Amino acid sequence: MRRRLTLLVAATMCLALLAFVVPLALLLRTVAQDRATTTAGADAQSLVPLVGTADPVSLRTSVEHMAADSRAPLTVFLADGSVLGTRAPRTSAVRLAALAGVSRTVERPDGREIVVAVLGRPDGTAVIRAFVPAAELTRGVARAWLVLAGLGVALLLLGLLVADRLSRALVSPITELSTVSYRLARADLTARARPDGPPELREVAGALNHLADRIQELLREEREQVADLSHRLRAPLTSLRLEAESLAGPDAARIGARVDAMERAVTGLISQARHRREPDAHAVCEATSAVRERVAFWTVLAEDTGRAVTLDITADGTASGTAGGTASGTAGGTASGTAGGTADGTAGGTLPVGVPSDELAAAVDALLGNVFAHTPDGTAFSVTLAPRAGGGAVLTVADDGPGLSTDLVQRGASLGGSTGLGLDIARRVARSSGGRMDLSTGPDGGARVTLELGPPASPTVLP
């Protein structure tokens, strides 16, 4: 925009200067020609009294003296054929003036000729001829044109400088508004525009600041609402804890531990909702331990629903996990056979990824939760974690169920009785690390979800 404004001013000034300079240049040339012609004509007229009254000897002396001092060649043609002053041929204009007794100015290719007829001499009509060469007619014109062109260029540069300053004063507030809008788009809600520039731009800056304030207010209300909704879960959790404490046997401890984990998750959700946390560009966690922990958590439910669980973790090219235990039984949830379900292997290498450990755990929970929610009891599933080319890790969750429904792909939309947010949580976790999520169908027709998790942005320092 700044360049366009400058070009517009330059074009306008060029047209204005052409409309002013060209006529002025032509006028200067005309003035120079008229000046030279007037000077030569005055010299010729000054000889008229002398030619009409002086004797031949004094006339010759006077004419030769004036011809030597004059810029234009002066010649006197007498009726007897004598030529005084500057030698010149008797032109047609001279002959016409002698015959008709008239004075005139004649344009010639090489200059301008001025003839003056002098009547009353005893020997007949004499003619005074003054000739102005073309060089004399344009003397000083080139220098005047150069001065005029220099003045035009100086005015043009001055206009461009003023236009640049004005366009900068106009474009600078627009650039600042654009910067503030981009900062708001990157979730920097503290960005504010400084009202500056023309009144229209100041009004736009005020509207943008009002929009930012309104966004902050709406987000604050939404976080409070989420925190309030999360806080409502405490009552049923407390009731569930009391029910668990009334149980006896090993199930009581296991259910109590699960209730404690759920209560910690609710507490973390309330804290995260009330205190908004900016994305951490240097987030890092060790993927193998996080995945191993979450699979161990879900394996208990897999045992209860008769599902076979397979965990395969490969870190730094070293297989650190094998197929876990298989659980078989009726769809009613009675497990028999080899229970366990968690991978058992050596803690070989590590797989650092660029996401916080709690977000990775939430992504794994979302994927495994979809398996339990959208596949019938007894459906086997597998979890695979392997290094990613270029750093990071690749997490794959596959099941032997009926496959993914298209309604699971859209955020907040689900036909299976869920919230429809699970896959979106996993997708956002993958994208925040510089990776992506792919949905496909396994060899047996089941669903396969692959998360590519990018490496940490900074040198890995695992906690």
Side-chain angles (χ1 to χ4, degrees), residues 407-443:
D407 68 284
L408 294 177
V409 180
Q410 299 180 356
R411 174 178 173 86
S414 174
L415 300 179
S418 64
T419 61
L421 301 178
L423 289 180
D424 189 73
I425 293 174
R427 180 186 295 109
R428 286 190 291 109
V429 170
R431 288 181 178 177
S432 67
S433 67
R436 62 175 184 169
M437 184 183 75
D438 291 329
L439 304 179
S440 60
T441 303

Side-chain angles (χ1 to χ4, degrees), residues 181-233:
S181 64
Y182 277 115
R183 290 177 59 189
L184 290 176
R186 292 192 297 266
D188 183 7
L189 299 182
T190 60
R192 293 295 183 273
R194 182 174 44 125
D196 196 7
E200 294 82 1
L201 291 180
R202 291 199 297 268
E203 183 176 356
V204 173
L208 184 61
N209 292 338
H210 178 70
L211 176 62
D213 293 337
R214 182 58 179 163
I215 292 174
Q216 273 191 325
E217 181 180 353
L218 291 176
L219 287 178
R220 184 165 49 251
E221 292 178 357
E222 182 180 1
R223 289 197 298 268
E224 291 297 331
Q225 185 177 6
V226 171
D228 292 343
L229 291 176
S230 302
H231 192 270
R232 295 179 186 179
L233 295 175

Side-chain angles (χ1 to χ4, degrees), residues 50-66:
L50 184 61
V51 173
T53 59
D55 58 276
V57 177
S58 59
L59 177 60
R60 178 180 297 275
T61 302
S62 299
V63 170
E64 290 180 353
H65 179 70
M66 291 190 65

Side-chain angles (χ1 to χ4, degrees), residues 53-434:
T53 59
D55 58 276
V57 177
S58 59
L59 177 60
R60 178 180 297 275
T61 302
S62 299
V63 170
E64 290 180 353
H65 179 70
M66 291 190 65
D69 294 338
S70 176
R71 288 184 178 178
L74 287 176
T75 306
V76 178
F77 297 93
L78 299 178
D80 58 1
S82 301
V83 179
L84 307 179
T86 305
R87 295 298 175 181
R90 190 180 292 269
T91 63
S92 58
V94 174
R95 289 193 295 268
L96 181 61
L99 292 176
V102 295
S103 302
R104 59 186 303 179
T105 301
V106 181
E107 295 287 344
R108 293 167 54 95
D110 55 348
R112 186 172 292 180
E113 184 180 13
I114 304 169
V115 293
V116 179
V118 181
L119 304 177
R121 284 184 60 83
D123 54 351
T125 301
V127 178
I128 304 173
R129 176 183 181 269
F131 181 73
V132 184
E136 185 65 23
L137 288 174
T138 58
R139 188 172 64 89
V141 174
R143 183 174 62 252
W145 282 4
L146 287 177
V147 173
L148 194 61
L151 179 62
V153 171
L155 290 176
L156 178 60
L157 293 178
L158 180 61
L160 291 178
L161 179 62
V162 174
D164 181 71
R165 297 295 181 182
L166 291 177
S167 61
R168 181 181 300 178
L170 179 62
V171 172
S172 179
I174 298 177
T175 304
E176 184 177 354
L177 289 176
S178 176
T179 303
V180 171
S181 64
Y182 277 115
R183 290 177 59 189
L184 290 176
R186 292 192 297 266
D188 183 7
L189 299 182
T190 60
R192 293 295 183 273
R194 182 174 44 125
D196 196 7
E200 294 82 1
L201 291 180
R202 291 199 297 268
E203 183 176 356
V204 173
L208 184 61
N209 292 338
H210 178 70
L211 176 62
D213 293 337
R214 182 58 179 163
I215 292 174
Q216 273 191 325
E217 181 180 353
L218 291 176
L219 287 178
R220 184 165 49 251
E221 292 178 357
E222 182 180 1
R223 289 197 298 268
E224 291 297 331
Q225 185 177 6
V226 171
D228 292 343
L229 291 176
S230 302
H231 192 270
R232 295 179 186 179
L233 295 175
R234 290 190 178 276
L237 282 176
T238 301
S239 176
L240 185 59
R241 176 186 294 278
L242 294 176
E243 292 290 339
E245 291 177 354
S246 64
L247 297 177
D251 290 340
R254 181 167 60 86
I255 295 176
R258 298 296 180 255
V259 172
D260 291 338
M262 184 175 294
E263 188 172 4
R264 287 193 299 270
V266 171
T267 302
L269 181 60
I270 295 174
S271 177
Q272 185 176 9
R274 290 188 178 274
H275 307 286
R276 181 176 177 270
R277 183 179 63 183
E278 297 294 334
D280 187 4
H282 303 284
V284 60
C285 78
E286 206 284 300
T288 59
S289 59
V291 172
R292 209 185 292 270
E293 178 185 354
R294 299 320 301 162
V295 172
F297 174 84
W298 287 93
T299 299
V300 178
L301 183 58
E303 295 175 8
D304 295 339
T305 56
R307 300 173 184 267
V309 183
T310 302
L311 174 62
D312 185 7
I313 296 180
T314 304
D316 294 338
T318 303
S320 60
T322 60
T326 57
S328 60
T330 63
T334 303
S336 63
T338 306
T342 59
D344 184 16
T346 59
T350 59
L351 287 178
V353 293
V355 293
S357 58
D358 57 343
E359 293 189 8
L360 178 57
V364 176
D365 288 343
L367 297 181
L368 296 181
N370 276 337
V371 173
F372 283 85
H374 301 285
T375 61
D377 292 347
T379 302
F381 65 91
S382 63
V383 179
T384 304
L385 183 67
R388 176 175 177 260
V394 177
L395 175 65
T396 303
V397 176
D399 61 63
D400 296 337
L404 276 174
S405 175
T406 55
D407 68 284
L408 294 177
V409 180
Q410 299 180 356
R411 174 178 173 86
S414 174
L415 300 179
S418 64
T419 61
L421 301 178
L423 289 180
D424 189 73
I425 293 174
R427 180 186 295 109
R428 286 190 291 109
V429 170
R431 288 181 178 177
S432 67
S433 67

